Amino acid sequence: MARTDFDPAQMSPRDFYQLLTAVVVPRPIAWVSTTSVEGVDNLAPHSFYTVASVDPPIVQFTSVGEKDSLRNIEAQGEFVVNLTPASLFEEVNATGTDFPPKTSEFDAVGLSREPSAVVRPPRVQDSPVALECRLHSTLPLGNCTLVFGEVVYAVVSTHVLEGDHPQIDLLEPLSRLGRNEWGTLGPIQEIRRIRAKDWPGHFGRAGQDE
């Protein structure tokens, strides 16, 4: 297999960033709502996002540079992660516009707010999932800051639930890919993890080579 080498020491940070975001895919999107000290509600998509801890429940997103989301969270200690559904594709993208801090993306894009249960920043009314978070800690790392938030309350739209379980095909989450590319679900596959006690003694090529 022919391969092409990419050495970050020989590339600009921007060029290597574009490579990383094209191969670390798909990335879920944290649609983060915050409120400034002045009372302005901010909303921005962050695609470096994951679960950081199970107990306590902590989610983590990365702020590339110092943005309104980070400043508001550090000042107020609270934020909400809203799920980004495919039905709001254009609105999610529009909230990534570099508006000045005094401009609320909710108002600029025309998104309705919904009061949160236990934190000050509002939820996105038309998002099917909202995780209300209190700041746990931040970690500066290079030109980025990792933000860890403990989930103190969660809501899920009833119509996407089967019993208590959110149905992925009804959530229809967006994901980020490289460049200006975005992803939707596509085909969904299910497979159970193999337990050691059920291991068949061979697997794939390892079994064929014996």
Side-chain angles (χ1 to χ4, degrees), residues 120-141:
R120 182 182 178 190
R123 308 188 295 232
V124 177
Q125 181 173 293
D126 292 328
S127 171
V129 179
L131 305 177
E132 300 183 18
C133 303
R134 290 201 176 102
L135 179 62
H136 176 277
S137 58
T138 59
L139 175 64
L141 196 63

Side-chain angles (χ1 to χ4, degrees), residues 67-82:
K67 298 178 179 177
D68 292 340
S69 298
L70 176 62
R71 286 191 289 267
N72 293 345
I73 291 169
E74 289 183 325
Q76 300 283 68
E78 298 178 330
F79 62 98
V80 178
V81 175
N82 305 273

Side-chain angles (χ1 to χ4, degrees), residues 19-103:
L19 173 68
L20 283 177
T21 55
V23 298
V24 182
V25 290
R27 299 187 306 282
I29 303 166
W31 206 9
V32 179
S33 52
T34 59
T35 301
S36 70
V37 173
E38 293 76 22
V40 178
D41 296 325
N42 178 265
L43 181 63
H46 296 266
S47 70
F48 295 176
Y49 166 56
T50 190
V51 176
S53 170
V54 175
D55 186 13
I58 293 174
V59 293
Q60 174 255 312
F61 76 91
T62 299
S63 175
V64 181
E66 185 180 354
K67 298 178 179 177
D68 292 340
S69 298
L70 176 62
R71 286 191 289 267
N72 293 345
I73 291 169
E74 289 183 325
Q76 300 283 68
E78 298 178 330
F79 62 98
V80 178
V81 175
N82 305 273
L83 185 139
T84 54
S87 61
L88 295 178
F89 173 44
E90 293 187 2
E91 288 85 349
V92 174
N93 180 63
T95 59
T97 302
D98 56 344
F99 293 115
K102 65 181 180 180
T103 299

